[in-house]
Amino acid sequence: MTQIREPERRSRILRGRPYSLDEFASKYGLLSHQAESLFTRFGPSSIELDLLMAAKRRLPVRHEGPVPQDGPVNQDRIAE
């Protein structure tokens, strides 16, 4: 009699350190349901998730303060 074999479940190899769900969401400014969806589909690998967000053209959010704007320099402020 022929035996039917179950396909083996292959787990993904973790590349890079794992993100926590909160860390990933805050790094890219994602809502919790968005981060959870990506985290579930692609796993916690920081390398995989960073590559995914780069492909989506989504840069990490800066938390240390406002990003300076490029523009003309006010000459009056330089003289002070």
Side-chain angles (χ1 to χ4, degrees):
M1 184 176 256
T2 305
Q3 289 184 341
I4 299 174
R5 297 182 81 191
E6 294 281 328
E8 291 182 29
R9 175 119 174 117
R10 294 184 184 187
S11 61
R12 285 187 131 158
I13 296 172
L14 186 65
R15 293 175 48 195
R17 70 174 190 78
Y19 277 139
S20 70
L21 185 58
D22 292 333
E23 180 185 14
F24 174 59
S26 69
K27 181 174 181 176
Y28 289 101
L30 300 171
L31 299 175
S32 61
H33 71 276
Q34 293 171 318
E36 188 173 354
S37 174
L38 294 171
F39 205 80
T40 301
R41 289 187 285 162
F42 297 98
S45 167
S46 59
I47 292 175
E48 297 290 334
L49 291 171
D50 288 341
L51 287 171
L52 172 69
M53 297 311 282
K56 290 176 162 274
R57 298 182 193 276
R58 188 83 186 250
L59 297 175
V61 177
R62 294 183 68 181
H63 291 286
E64 55 269 1
V67 177
Q69 298 294 318
D70 290 334
V73 176
N74 187 344
Q75 295 297 327
D76 295 334
R77 301 281 291 169
I78 294 174
E80 293 176 353

